[in-house]
Amino acid sequence: MFAKLAQAYPLGATLCDQGCNFSIHSTDNQEIKLVLFDIENKKTIIDFDHTHLDIHYTFVPNIKAGQVYGFQIKDKHNERLILDPYAQALNQTPFYVEPFTAEESWKFTKSVVIDHQFDWQNTVFPQVPYEETILCETHVKGFTQLQEHIEEQYRGTYLGLCQPAAIEFYKEQGITSLQLLPVTSCMSEPHLLKMDKVNFWGYNSLCFMAPEPRYAMSDAVTEMKTMVRELHKEGIEVIMDIVFNHTAEGGEGGPKFHLKCLDKHYYLLDSNKNHHNYTGCGNTVDLTYQPSLTLVIDTLRHWVTHYQIDGFRFDLAATLGRNGHRFDSQSAFFKAIEQDPILQKVKLIAEPWDVGPDGYQLGNFPRGWNECNDKFRDTVKSHWLGDKNNIKEFATRLMGSRDFFSAGGWPDKLPVNFISYHDGFTLQDLVSYNHKHNEANGERNLDGHGDNRSFNHGVEGKTDNLSVLYKRERQKRNLMTTLLFSFGIPHLLAVDSLSHTQGGNNNAYCQDNEISWANWILSPDNISFKNWLAGMVKARKEVMSPFIRAFSGRERGHHRIRWNHSNGKLMNTDDWQNLEAFALYLGLYKNGKELLFLINSSTIPTRYRLPAGGKWRIICDTSESVLGNRQTQTTYMQSTQSITILSRE
């Protein structure tokens, strides 16, 4: 009877009312066995009685949700317990004591059978349009760990992100889409375990389908679903940052958790069967191999189907598009997503590079993919914080980086513009430090990027100098105004709203402490900036979003664009080489809405002559710390190193 219930697909543990089907792909270990654990950790070993295309499967009656299991394989002369690559939950936070031997594997975290029934209370996917999307990158634990307005039991958890105080913050700041640092199960690297540290960011995947246990009070599956449901009730999307380019098994000599023991071809190997390291993490997942591709696509469908996830940001996504060793925008991975009726509906954001050959692929991902635009980041930081005056490059980034992203593909092909990300300086540190200070990471300050394009304004780090503090606040406003009023999808770092500093650490991946935890104790300047930023996001939605819609697709050629001197005359070719004060005029159709950008990166106040035709509303002037409701008509005096945005109906 039960043999008929046994199926090769789907892979993993699939529960029904009569028991559970267990299925696993294993080419290299044909003697693999299923191991069930009872509440006292006593084991029952079960042979697989069916095989199909190197998939071993069996049906076990009377299994219930919560059943703990694993797989036993032969590892040289020992028996090793491995995780199910398709595990949908883990029974405890992963941890081991080096070295990770076959004996140690039996003490390690184990897979858990899951019943995905959940009351979604008729919530729906928010489906925020691209041109209205405000991405906010945050860390589940780090964002709420020190938030006093959240009950202590919820701080640092999935449920903490959907408490009233947290939701109030998102709504106040105009956030439409939370982009969560990895919430899939993670294992800290061996060198961190030796230093008694953890991979705080989570970019070292263990099991792709299992939510990270350390962010749960008791039940990671139910609590993460609850978080998504409550955010959806408020119209807020949840975007998962997900890592498929490598796994926590590392390179040669790294630990063995599952894939290494099951089939060496899960990974990209050289002619000597050694791991290619195109990720900088020891191994590279090979998505030209069908079982690898199947695992990744099944994982994406899993998160959308069972957790109602709204989209994904793919870490080192150039790896996923590799056809062997070279990048191919027509690779099987892209085609598999494009034809999938579930995955067609979600947002797809690529980090368009890795460290292998053909590793930098900005602008080369297929239609339907948005890409993290590091060209925007570098150009805008250099313009405001550096001594490089390349206004032609700056203007290109402001207008949507159309040298990489044709407006004919907008809005679904809009670039994801950003100033700060989880890696690199926070916004506050960008204007406070000239050099990285990563000593706390235990790597002699050799880790982290050296090209920060930051400026401390005369003092390295904290200061009471009012002149320095004023300049820093102004530059923060310059950077955020440029981000919010550029053509693209703005990506904000959640802690930037709080002016959080990491003390100059630009690679705080292993800092599960106050370095990374958002500081909610705000100074008057911090409060002023938070309120200013909230107002700017609101203005972005009201004023900029219609221009992005109008400049997208077939309608893009029907509008007015002019680049002017401060005196109102059109700029010529020579002006693009050395001008420091200039203006951008945008108008919809022949007589529609108008926008005016007054950009003065010089150290001299400049008077601008404004286009005739009526009064202009001043949306913001970054030389001022508050947003007013003022108007001007013929001229405007622009302060030094600042930008003003004006609009007119």
Side-chain angles (χ1 to χ4, degrees):
M1 172 184 177
F2 295 113
K4 294 181 180 179
L5 295 173
Q7 300 288 332
Y9 299 101
L11 290 158
T14 306
L15 200 63
C16 71
D17 56 359
Q18 298 182 56
C20 187
N21 188 73
F22 294 89
S23 177
I24 186 167
H25 167 83
S26 179
T27 297
D28 295 343
N29 263 288
Q30 294 293 321
E31 297 181 21
I32 190 169
K33 299 178 186 295
L34 171 67
V35 185
L36 303 179
F37 296 89
D38 66 14
I39 195 170
E40 297 178 347
N41 208 36
K42 293 179 180 178
K43 59 188 179 184
T44 301
I45 299 176
I46 299 173
D47 291 325
F48 285 100
D49 44 17
H50 302 279
T51 303
H52 173 69
L53 299 176
D54 291 325
I55 295 173
H56 308 262
Y57 59 101
T58 190
F59 186 87
V60 183
N62 303 319
I63 297 292
K64 304 296 183 183
Q67 173 68 57
V68 177
Y69 72 100
F71 299 108
Q72 175 183 293
I73 56 130
K74 289 285 187 181
D75 184 16
K76 295 182 180 179
H77 304 295
N78 299 305
E79 292 172 338
R80 177 183 290 269
L81 184 72
I82 63 170
L83 287 163
D84 183 357
Y86 277 73
Q88 298 182 24
L90 302 180
N91 70 334
Q92 62 187 24
T93 299
F95 178 79
Y96 66 88
V97 177
E98 282 246 289
F100 190 62
T101 61
E103 181 182 4
E104 186 74 21
S105 71
W106 292 88
K107 307 172 189 174
F108 193 55
T109 186
K110 298 173 180 64
S111 310
V112 180
V113 175
I114 292 299
D115 181 352
H116 277 292
Q117 291 187 36
F118 181 76
D119 183 7
W120 286 99
Q121 299 177 1
N122 297 318
T123 52
V124 296
F125 292 83
Q127 294 185 312
V128 180
Y130 291 102
E131 67 274 16
E132 297 176 13
T133 299
I134 306 292
L135 289 171
C136 180
E137 185 184 34
T138 192
H139 188 281
V140 170
K141 180 177 182 180
F143 190 65
T144 62
Q145 184 69 17
L146 300 178
Q147 169 55 291
E148 293 184 353
H149 295 293
I150 292 176
E151 291 183 39
E152 189 171 357
Q153 61 181 325
Y154 296 124
R155 295 177 199 167
T157 70
Y158 296 114
L159 295 180
L161 281 185
C162 63
Q163 293 304 300
I167 289 175
E168 180 182 357
F169 174 86
Y170 313 141
K171 303 289 278 189
E172 172 193 272
Q173 297 300 123
I175 303 306
T176 68
S177 311
L178 278 188
Q179 181 177 302
L180 303 181
L181 269 73
V183 291
T184 53
S185 59
C186 164
M187 184 63 235
S188 297
E189 294 87 340
H191 78 276
L192 292 179
L193 295 177
K194 291 176 182 177
M195 294 191 293
D196 197 26
K197 295 181 183 295
V198 299
N199 188 318
F200 179 65
W201 288 347
Y203 289 95
N204 207 38
S205 299
L206 185 60
C207 294
F208 296 143
M209 295 185 184
E212 174 57 48
R214 58 180 157 162
Y215 307 140
M217 297 169 63
S218 59
D219 179 354
V221 172
T222 300
E223 291 170 32
M224 184 172 167
K225 290 178 180 179
T226 302
M227 174 196 72
V228 175
R229 183 188 68 195
E230 297 307 304
L231 291 171
H232 278 185
K233 287 180 180 179
E234 302 296 332
I236 298 171
E237 295 179 321
V238 178
I239 310 291
M240 284 179 61
D241 195 334
I242 200 158
V243 184
F244 291 131
N245 57 79
H246 76 282
T247 71
E249 293 189 302
E252 308 307 317
K256 300 176 181 177
F257 299 123
H258 38 49
L259 299 185
K260 274 186 178 180
C261 303
L262 296 169
D263 187 346
K264 57 182 174 292
H265 295 294
Y266 272 117
Y267 296 113
L268 196 60
L269 305 174
D270 63 20
S271 57
N272 295 319
K273 299 183 179 180
N274 295 318
H275 292 82
H276 274 287
N277 186 16
Y278 293 162
T279 64
C281 302
N283 64 60
T284 305
V285 175
D286 183 5
L287 293 193
T288 64
Y289 186 51
Q290 186 63 55
S292 298
L293 179 61
T294 300
L295 172 58
V296 166
I297 298 299
D298 286 351
T299 298
L300 295 174
R301 291 170 60 92
H302 166 83
W303 288 111
V304 177
T305 301
H306 295 303
Y307 291 81
Q308 297 196 5
I309 292 298
D310 301 280
F312 302 93
R313 182 264 190 188
F314 296 84
D315 182 64
L316 298 184
T319 296
L320 311 182
R322 288 190 176 279
N323 190 351
H325 302 290
R326 316 301 294 192
F327 179 84
D328 182 2
S329 63
Q330 302 299 311
S331 71
F333 170 69
F334 297 127
K335 296 298 185 184
I337 288 180
E338 187 177 359
Q339 61 79 42
D340 191 289
I342 292 177
L343 302 181
Q344 289 168 346
K345 303 174 183 178
V346 302
K347 288 184 167 74
L348 304 169
I349 302 171
E351 183 182 40
W353 51 76
D354 63 15
V355 299
D358 284 350
Y360 189 74
Q361 292 295 330
L362 182 68
N364 292 331
F365 280 67
R367 286 287 300 271
W369 283 77
N370 305 107
E371 301 173 41
C372 301
N373 187 4
D374 64 323
K375 294 291 188 185
F376 180 94
R377 173 199 65 192
D378 292 346
T379 300
V380 173
K381 288 197 298 186
S382 292
H383 182 85
W384 291 114
L385 302 177
D387 55 7
K388 184 179 180 181
N389 182 28
N390 189 344
I391 64 168
K392 183 178 180 181
E393 181 85 0
F394 181 80
T396 301
R397 302 303 149 227
L398 198 66
M399 288 301 298
S401 298
R402 288 184 286 183
D403 51 342
F404 290 98
F405 306 97
S406 169
W410 295 355
D412 57 288
K413 192 59 178 170
L414 282 166
V416 175
N417 295 331
F418 63 99
I419 298 296
S420 45
Y421 234 90
H422 62 271
D423 53 345
F425 281 148
T426 63
L427 178 65
Q428 186 65 42
D429 287 353
L430 272 176
V431 300
S432 304
Y433 292 91
N434 284 350
H435 310 287
K436 61 187 173 80
H437 297 270
N438 298 355
E439 291 82 5
N441 296 353
E443 300 178 40
R444 296 179 295 142
N445 203 32
L446 297 176
D447 62 306
H449 210 296
D451 182 19
N452 293 291
R453 307 189 187 206
S454 59
F455 181 41
N456 66 15
H457 296 85
V459 179
E460 187 77 350
K462 293 183 179 180
T463 182
D464 294 325
N465 186 308
L466 294 179
S467 175
V468 171
L469 292 174
Y470 172 76
K471 292 175 183 176
R472 289 177 177 177
E473 291 301 310
R474 177 184 291 202
Q475 291 289 34
K476 285 161 59 179
R477 293 191 292 270
N478 285 336
L479 292 166
M480 288 296 99
T481 298
T482 307
L483 173 64
L484 291 170
F485 278 81
S486 292
F487 285 82
I489 298 172
H491 168 286
L492 302 171
L493 189 61
V495 296
D496 284 348
S497 299
L498 308 175
S499 300
H500 178 76
T501 174
Q502 294 181 166
N505 193 322
N506 75 349
N507 189 38
Y509 76 105
C510 58
Q511 299 299 328
D512 187 4
N513 51 47
E514 287 82 356
I515 292 175
S516 298
W517 299 344
N519 181 6
W520 291 87
I521 301 176
L522 306 184
S523 70
D525 278 348
N526 298 158
I527 295 172
S528 176
F529 179 74
K530 182 169 75 76
N531 294 338
W532 175 89
L533 185 57
M536 285 296 290
V537 171
K538 181 179 180 182
R540 147 85 188 198
K541 293 178 180 178
E542 294 174 353
V543 177
M544 192 65 195
S545 293
F547 276 81
I548 293 176
R549 273 193 296 272
F551 274 77
S552 297
R554 295 180 179 178
E555 292 296 303
R556 65 189 185 281
H558 298 287
H559 312 292
R560 294 159 283 158
I561 305 175
R562 294 199 295 269
W563 296 92
N564 297 334
H565 287 266
S566 57
N567 62 11
K569 294 183 178 179
L570 288 174
M571 292 169 58
N572 60 37
T573 303
D574 293 337
D575 295 329
W576 290 101
Q577 305 305 315
N578 52 23
L579 204 61
E580 291 185 307
F582 58 99
L584 166 62
Y585 168 86
L586 300 174
L588 298 186
Y589 301 99
K590 290 184 178 180
N591 298 295
K593 294 180 179 180
E594 298 167 289
L595 264 179
L596 188 62
F597 298 62
L598 310 181
I599 303 164
N600 182 16
S601 58
S602 75
T603 57
I604 302 172
T606 302
R607 182 171 294 279
Y608 282 78
R609 180 168 295 280
L610 308 182
K615 293 182 179 180
W616 292 87
R617 176 169 69 96
I618 301 171
I619 295 174
C620 82
D621 180 340
T622 59
S623 67
E624 302 170 352
S625 61
V626 294
L627 298 174
N629 189 21
R630 298 180 292 118
Q631 292 184 330
T632 188
Q633 185 160 349
T634 56
T635 65
Y636 190 82
M637 178 60 77
Q638 185 66 46
S639 183
T640 64
Q641 295 182 319
S642 60
I643 177 173
T644 290
I645 309 291
L646 306 100
S647 71
R648 187 165 64 183
E649 294 295 325

